[in-house]
Amino acid sequence: MKKQKVSDEKPGLVRRSVCPITNTLDILGDKWTLLVVRDMFLGKKTYGEFLASPEGIPTNILADRLKRLEQHGIIDKTPYQQSPVRYAYQLTSKGQQLSPVIKEIIKWGLENIQGTKAAMMDRNK
Amino acid sequence: MKKQKVSDEKPGLVRRSVCPITNTLDILGDKWTLLVVRDMFLGKKTYGEFLASPEGIPTNILADRLKRLEQHGIIDKTPYQQSPVRYAYQLTSKGQQLSPVIKEIIKWGLENIQGTKAAMMDRNK
DNA sequence: CCAGTGACTTGCAATTTGAAAGTTACATGC
DNA sequence: GCATGTAACTTTCAAATTGCAAGTCACTGG
């Protein structure tokens, strides 16, 4: 029932439990993070492309989530041009391994929430 | 019989998009909701049992999440005794269908977050 | 009558969210 | 040269949500 500090790791990190679900939720458990990951599976790469998604993520939230995903090694950021510098984000292998999670969430949503559509998950659309 | 879904849009419902991921996150996308679902897969049934989990969910959050899960038809609540009345929560079939989602999250967590352990997901513990 | 238990509800401070506006660094058109 | 545009953020601040603690309610058992 006690929250434990992780002995060897990053100072400041408080682990709620050793449960893999709990620890995954501490990284991905909110309304926006997985939508950014979804967009990257759909081939989107830039800040502007993420902003353009239909859900309308606020700019400050997007910046924060990109930073956190990067810190957790789920995505990485590289400049794809200089003058002016522009960045491309992409999934690391850790991020790509989220594919089965995303897939099962899509499946559950389509089967259990009326009005959801698979169409938008089509990459060439 | 349980009450049937209405085909009309619910009055308070604001849909961010038709994406199944988005709509799933609007129900389950936070740090606590899936932990309650996890506990139910582990056989826990009562308010007190959920409270006793190692993450230490606050009482008001637990009450709120149980209410929301019930409203979304993912769990249901029945009195298992009278005088004083005591309630048991259980997953509906909609809730049980979350099993593959949970399974993939556990898998990702175990493979990608150091210090997580499968042990606690054993039912007879 | 009093303590204890299970299932909540309430109060309130702290944290997080989100809408909008501002910033930085260039590029292009007039 | 200057205004406008664009991409990628950062800042501000009110509103909403979270989380700790305490309180409530309906009993039971001693």
Side-chain angles (χ1 to χ4, degrees):
Chain A
M1 198 134 155
K2 289 278 160 67
K3 292 172 186 173
Q4 292 187 331
K5 245 177 120 183
V6 179
S7 50
D8 278 340
E9 253 175 283
K10 309 171 183 181
L13 174 65
V14 175
R15 207 173 277 248
R16 292 192 290 166
S17 80
V18 297
C19 173
I21 304 176
T22 305
N23 284 272
T24 299
L25 291 178
D26 283 340
I27 300 172
L28 305 170
D30 78 317
K31 285 187 345 188
W32 295 109
T33 307
L34 275 181
L35 296 186
V36 177
V37 174
R38 169 203 68 185
D39 281 353
M40 300 188 77
F41 275 114
L42 291 175
K44 297 183 183 177
K45 291 170 177 49
T46 66
Y47 188 90
E49 286 175 322
F50 302 137
L51 274 188
S53 286
E55 290 84 7
I57 186 170
T59 57
N60 55 342
I61 302 288
L62 176 57
D64 177 75
R65 295 305 188 275
L66 287 171
K67 193 179 298 172
R68 288 174 48 183
L69 283 170
E70 201 188 349
Q71 282 167 354
H72 285 290
I74 291 166
I75 65 178
D76 54 26
K77 177 189 188 174
T78 49
Y80 66 88
Q81 81 171 37
Q82 301 294 335
S83 282
V85 65
R86 296 282 184 258
Y87 299 102
Y89 294 91
Q90 58 180 344
L91 293 165
T92 60
S93 89
K94 190 165 165 178
Q96 284 173 34
Q97 286 179 63
L98 283 169
S99 159
V101 175
I102 298 273
K103 199 182 131 203
E104 291 299 341
I105 291 175
I106 292 172
K107 204 168 147 192
W108 187 85
L110 288 174
E111 286 171 8
N112 293 282
I113 309 177
Q114 62 173 160
T116 58
K117 295 189 172 72
M120 82 157 299
M121 293 309 296
D122 234 346
R123 190 182 281 240
N124 49 354
K125 182 174 185 266
Chain B
M1 285 293 276
K2 304 256 74 175
K3 63 179 174 179
Q4 297 295 317
K5 288 169 194 168
V6 264
S7 52
D8 290 344
E9 293 282 328
K10 294 175 184 175
L13 177 66
V14 176
R15 208 175 279 252
R16 291 193 290 165
S17 79
V18 298
C19 172
I21 304 175
T22 305
N23 284 274
T24 300
L25 291 178
D26 283 340
I27 300 172
L28 305 171
D30 79 317
K31 287 187 345 186
W32 294 110
T33 309
L34 274 181
L35 295 185
V36 176
V37 175
R38 169 203 68 185
D39 281 353
M40 299 186 79
F41 275 114
L42 291 174
K44 296 182 182 177
K45 290 171 177 54
T46 66
Y47 189 90
E49 286 174 322
F50 303 136
L51 273 189
S53 286
E55 289 84 9
I57 186 170
T59 56
N60 54 341
I61 302 288
L62 176 56
D64 177 74
R65 295 305 187 274
L66 287 171
K67 194 180 297 172
R68 287 175 46 183
L69 284 170
E70 200 187 349
Q71 282 166 355
H72 285 290
I74 292 166
I75 65 176
D76 56 25
K77 177 190 189 176
T78 47
Y80 67 88
Q81 80 170 36
Q82 301 294 335
S83 283
V85 64
R86 295 282 183 257
Y87 299 103
Y89 294 91
Q90 59 182 345
L91 293 165
T92 60
S93 90
K94 190 166 166 178
Q96 285 174 35
Q97 287 179 62
L98 283 169
S99 158
V101 175
I102 298 271
K103 199 183 132 203
E104 292 298 340
I105 291 176
I106 292 172
K107 204 169 148 192
W108 188 87
L110 288 175
E111 287 170 7
N112 293 282
I113 309 176
Q114 65 173 160
T116 58
K117 294 190 173 71
M120 83 156 299
M121 294 307 297
D122 284 341
R123 191 181 279 240
N124 48 355
K125 192 212 151 204

